[in-house]
Amino acid sequence: MRLKRSGPIVLLGLAWRQGPMAADVTPAPAPLEQVCFEHIRLEGFWKQQAKRMIEKWIPHCVRQMEAGGRGQELLNFVRAAEVLQGKEPSGTFTGCPWSDAYPYNTVEAICLALAFDPAGDEQLAAAQQALRAKLEEWIPLILSAQCPDGYIHTFHVVNKIPRYSNINHHEFYVQGYFIEMGVAHYLATAGRDRRLYAAAIRCADQLDATFGPAPKRTWVHGHPGIEIALCRLGRLVNQVEGAGRGDKYIRLARHQYEIRHTPAEHRNVYRQSHLPAVEQAEALGHAVRGTYFYAGMADIAMLQQSAAYRQAADRLWDSAVHRKLYLTGGVGAAHKDEAFAADYELPNDGYCESCAGCGLSFWADRMHRLHAAGHYADVQERVLYNNILGAVDLAGENFFYQNPLAGNRRRHPWHGCPCCIGNIPRALLAIKDLIYSLNAAKDTLYVNQFVASEGAIADVAGTALRIAQQTDYPWKGEVAITLHPAAPKTFTVMLRVPDRDLCALYSSKPDLSGRHRIGVNGRAVRAKVRDGYVAVRRKWAAGDRLEISLPMEPQRVYCDARVRANHGRVALLRGPLVYNLESVDHTTDALALVLPPAAKLQAEWRADLLGGVMTIRCDDPQLLDRKSTRLNSSHSSISYADFCLKKK
Ligand code: FUB
Ligand code: ZN
């Protein structure tokens, strides 16, 4: 999708450019900025989800990573610190070479978790207090494993392996997460506590001193992640330390893209190094690597105004989203290599790693900021509400590494490679920073996600703005947004109107487009949807209420005929949620249920199920004898049901 926007052209940053890059610099609309809340109050659906993460899942992960837990990855930091102090390590390294990643992601999730105002919820407040204390315990421990020059990788230090000697050891991937953790901690504390931020800068400086154009070293790393991290750090350093001070990190990120395909021995599809990054057009290879790699390309497009990176990111998005995306937002269908499969190859038992879903969410966020179009927020909504949210159980003690649409596996408390455990909460809790964004001039406020919440934005059109959303979304479609500008001001509010036909692969019936209603202070507003948003411009005063009502009829979703796995199948969607048939809810085999095309579908609230859930009821399903395809389990689930092809 290529979009044109009118408005001021703002050349972003003071990025360093030289040689061939200069020709690539083209003015483009300034990207949107996320509204990142240091404090926000949540209600309703997302409060429930945040509580599950903060009270259950994150503490569960913390326990597993500490002594006596299932993984004990924290012990690696103790051992690395011992080595750095010249002592013999008190034990051997535990886990995979990239095990440091899990505590880092978890710390980032904790940083996000601390932003939620408990608003009298004692359980939430107590859980946050415990996580705050955990941070105070973990930060010195983690920092004790950082080498004086900023390098940190406990696998290499404990095992005394020369640095940057094996691309499968993930030194860049892990240090990328370390840097992202530093950025998140800075934001969570509004810069009052700079321990992790300063450590992130030391780490990035060490990378910058080592790698880059000659005479520095050229080295292709195995797993992307460093690129988005360096761009995040560069952007923050430019804000905190002064424009231009962070540009070297962005240049280093770009350097990694520019050299990735150059050593012939490391050229391969699995690691997205088969072609120069800007020439790539198909989402290929390991899906987590891919989504991280492509997200960083969108960052370069934004930060360096690069047309080549923007066009490549657009092409790759078209490939991943319009030909390789599951209805749930999952990506990476192939079990072999945890990879993107061919176009339209979307088997219902496809892999869909949780980290790949997180990667798609991060990528969608950047594409959204780059293009200011609702489509990207639609995709991000779908992956957050389905692929990622469903990865952790309601008890907050078990998770899915793989998220196929049909299966009979149970979630597990841990994994031999628990790379997803901290990624899931950091992707979900980031919802607080996805609700709103602002254009560069700060006179247009985008409402991207519907989340019952209240928070304060420092500057919209020159005034402070308190903004609240009241909604039961995703169960109900009504959203009321109350604005309290400190002084009356004229600005535009862009309201996202979701397009439930997420991409070229899926079409939903009934077609609900155009069925939304918008009002201001009780009076209807008529406006066209452009790029996924409706613009409402007026002078806003304290207490003004903007309302949107979204159609929430259950929809049948049909898939492009080129997806063979879905021939004769239909899926059910209501709002952003893809519904599953689970054997546990039915007296008969869920996999033998047939949904006749004309059967009525009725949304029905069930307070007794799953802590309260909107179910879809069909009173006249049919049964099919399909013993041959029955899954071998008493608990199976499937997102697609057969639809009845028999003519009545
Ligand atoms: O290699 C690090 C992580 O472990 C990858 O992103 C996951 O797919 C898993 O292989
Ligand atoms: Zn993972």
Side-chain angles (χ1 to χ4, degrees):
M1 182 179 294
R2 269 154 289 277
L3 298 141
K4 289 195 184 74
R5 283 195 297 140
S6 55
I9 290 170
V10 180
L11 286 174
L12 257 197
L14 298 170
W16 165 88
R17 301 168 192 119
Q18 68 175 24
M21 286 183 204
D24 171 41
V25 177
T26 46
L32 300 182
E33 287 288 334
Q34 283 183 329
V35 172
C36 295
F37 287 103
E38 195 192 334
H39 300 291
I40 185 169
R41 186 174 58 77
L42 294 187
E43 292 296 338
F45 182 84
W46 276 101
K47 180 170 181 190
Q48 254 184 314
Q49 311 314 321
K51 278 171 71 66
R52 177 158 56 107
M53 292 297 123
I54 297 168
E55 294 171 11
K56 305 274 176 48
W57 179 245
I58 298 175
H60 167 82
C61 297
V62 165
R63 281 194 297 278
Q64 305 315 320
M65 287 186 277
E66 293 191 325
R70 290 178 152 90
Q72 309 195 98
E73 291 82 0
L74 249 285
L75 297 182
N76 293 329
F77 292 88
V78 177
R79 288 161 190 159
E82 289 164 347
V83 172
L84 291 180
Q85 289 158 21
K87 300 179 193 157
E88 267 310 300
S90 52
T92 53
F93 181 88
T94 176
C96 308
W98 53 90
S99 290
D100 296 353
Y102 331 142
Y104 298 162
N105 280 180
T106 304
V107 168
E108 184 168 348
I110 293 174
C111 290
L112 295 167
L114 297 181
F116 298 108
D117 177 354
D121 183 326
E122 286 174 16
Q123 274 175 332
L124 180 55
Q128 287 174 312
Q129 196 41 43
L131 292 181
R132 213 171 272 119
K134 192 51 70 186
L135 266 192
E136 288 316 304
E137 200 182 314
W138 277 22
I139 288 174
L141 177 59
I142 289 172
L143 292 182
S144 70
Q146 188 173 27
C147 299
D149 71 344
Y151 176 86
I152 180 161
H153 195 270
T154 65
F155 177 78
H156 271 244
V157 171
V158 173
N159 294 314
K160 301 185 178 142
I161 300 170
R163 290 179 190 182
Y164 308 118
S165 53
N166 182 332
I167 74 167
N168 295 319
H169 287 176
H170 292 53
E171 288 155 284
F172 276 56
Y173 165 84
V174 166
Q175 292 184 97
Y177 281 156
F178 180 81
I179 291 168
E180 287 201 83
M181 171 180 75
V183 172
H185 190 244
Y186 180 98
L187 295 176
T189 62
R192 288 182 294 273
D193 183 341
R194 298 194 177 194
R195 284 174 294 170
L196 290 180
Y197 168 74
I201 289 179
R202 282 201 302 282
C203 178
D205 283 344
Q206 161 264 144
L207 289 167
D208 185 49
T210 314
F211 301 101
K216 294 185 196 173
R217 190 171 160 197
T218 286
W219 197 64
V220 173
H221 62 80
H223 195 309
I226 193 69
E227 299 80 4
I228 46 180
L230 288 169
C231 289
R232 268 182 91 181
L233 182 69
R235 194 184 272 126
L236 180 63
V237 167
N238 275 340
Q239 284 163 15
V240 174
E241 317 290 343
R245 300 285 295 276
D247 288 351
K248 61 180 177 178
Y249 307 121
I250 299 162
R251 289 198 297 269
L252 178 58
R254 184 165 180 158
H255 169 78
Q256 290 306 134
Y257 283 109
E258 314 267 305
I259 54 106
R260 193 158 179 79
H261 63 289
T262 51
E265 72 276 20
H266 291 320
R267 215 171 275 158
N268 67 32
V269 164
Y270 174 74
R271 286 192 287 264
Q272 294 79 31
S273 57
H274 53 299
L275 280 175
V278 291
E279 286 176 25
Q280 295 187 24
E282 183 176 359
L284 287 171
H286 184 266
V288 184
R289 285 170 167 81
T291 50
Y292 283 19
F293 190 72
Y294 310 142
M297 291 174 71
D299 271 329
I300 298 290
M302 281 191 275
L303 291 163
Q304 294 201 332
Q305 296 266 299
S306 164
Y309 277 75
R310 186 169 64 248
Q311 286 156 8
D314 287 348
R315 284 195 304 271
L316 289 159
W317 180 267
D318 278 353
S319 161
V321 169
H322 294 292
R323 295 185 290 284
K324 302 193 179 194
L325 181 72
Y326 281 96
L327 185 61
T328 52
V331 283
H335 288 243
K336 182 175 179 306
D337 287 345
E338 309 178 298
F340 285 101
D343 286 352
Y344 309 106
E345 199 181 316
L346 291 164
N348 286 309
D349 62 354
Y351 199 73
C352 295
E353 183 183 337
S354 297
C355 280
C358 297
L360 180 65
S361 176
F362 306 148
W363 184 18
D365 166 49
R366 284 149 176 91
M367 296 299 282
H368 177 256
R369 281 189 264 151
L370 181 62
H371 289 302
H375 163 71
Y376 304 101
D378 291 346
V379 171
Q380 187 165 31
E381 176 183 64
R382 189 67 63 82
V383 68
L384 283 171
Y385 277 88
N386 296 281
N387 188 84
I388 309 177
L389 209 49
V392 174
D393 66 1
L394 284 183
E397 289 175 355
N398 300 284
F399 81 108
F400 278 139
Y401 183 106
Q402 298 174 36
N403 299 273
L405 274 69
N408 56 6
R409 294 161 187 259
R410 286 177 186 277
R411 295 176 180 86
H412 28 243
W414 207 241
H415 194 278
C417 167
C419 52
C420 317
I421 59 102
N423 229 356
I424 296 169
R426 84 170 176 141
L428 287 176
L429 297 178
I431 188 75
K432 77 176 180 68
D433 300 330
L434 302 175
I435 306 173
Y436 305 107
S437 43
L438 278 167
N439 68 341
K442 295 192 194 302
D443 60 2
T444 302
L445 177 71
Y446 287 74
V447 180
N448 309 311
Q449 299 296 340
F450 305 113
V451 176
S453 58
E454 184 170 356
I457 307 176
D459 178 6
V460 180
T463 191
L465 176 72
R466 269 207 89 69
I467 187 163
Q469 279 191 37
Q470 278 176 307
T471 182
D472 277 333
Y473 194 82
W475 307 131
K476 295 185 181 161
E478 285 72 37
V479 184
I481 302 169
T482 314
L483 295 96
H484 293 278
K489 287 281 174 187
T490 300
F491 57 90
T492 305
V493 178
M494 304 287 279
L495 275 176
R496 181 171 70 95
V497 179
D499 182 351
R500 301 297 181 207
D501 283 347
L502 205 56
C503 62
L505 284 166
Y506 305 107
S507 54
S508 326
K509 302 256 165 352
D511 177 5
L512 301 179
S513 52
R515 298 257 306 270
H516 60 279
R517 287 191 315 275
I518 291 176
V520 174
N521 296 332
R523 297 179 68 162
V525 170
R526 283 188 212 297
K528 281 218 165 101
V529 179
R530 287 212 171 83
D531 294 338
Y533 287 89
V534 159
V536 185
R537 183 169 178 82
R538 72 195 301 274
K539 188 167 196 172
W540 298 97
D544 278 343
R545 195 175 144 99
L546 175 60
E547 288 154 335
I548 180 163
S549 170
L550 299 169
M552 298 296 276
E553 265 175 60
Q555 290 176 291
R556 286 171 160 83
V557 185
Y558 302 94
C559 192
D560 186 303
R562 284 168 285 191
V563 180
R564 293 176 62 82
N566 292 335
H567 284 180
R569 290 177 182 274
V570 66
L572 295 180
L573 184 73
R574 185 175 178 276
L577 297 173
V578 179
Y579 277 70
N580 253 50
L581 295 170
E582 295 214 1
S583 56
V584 72
D585 298 324
H586 298 274
T587 48
T588 182
D589 179 358
L591 299 183
L593 285 170
V594 174
L595 187 63
K600 273 218 172 96
L601 299 172
Q602 194 69 41
E604 185 181 282
W605 179 253
R606 289 280 304 270
D608 58 320
L609 270 183
L610 306 169
V613 67
M614 195 69 81
T615 61
I616 297 179
R617 191 175 176 82
C618 171
D619 286 328
D620 46 0
Q622 297 184 356
L623 282 175
L624 180 78
D625 183 15
R626 42 186 314 224
K627 290 191 187 85
S628 56
T629 57
R630 210 166 280 171
L631 293 178
N632 180 23
S633 168
S634 59
H635 184 108
S636 45
S637 82
I638 187 161
S639 299
Y640 282 90
D642 290 281
F643 65 88
C644 191
L645 296 167
K646 279 180 262 165
K647 294 222 169 69
K648 286 194 182 167

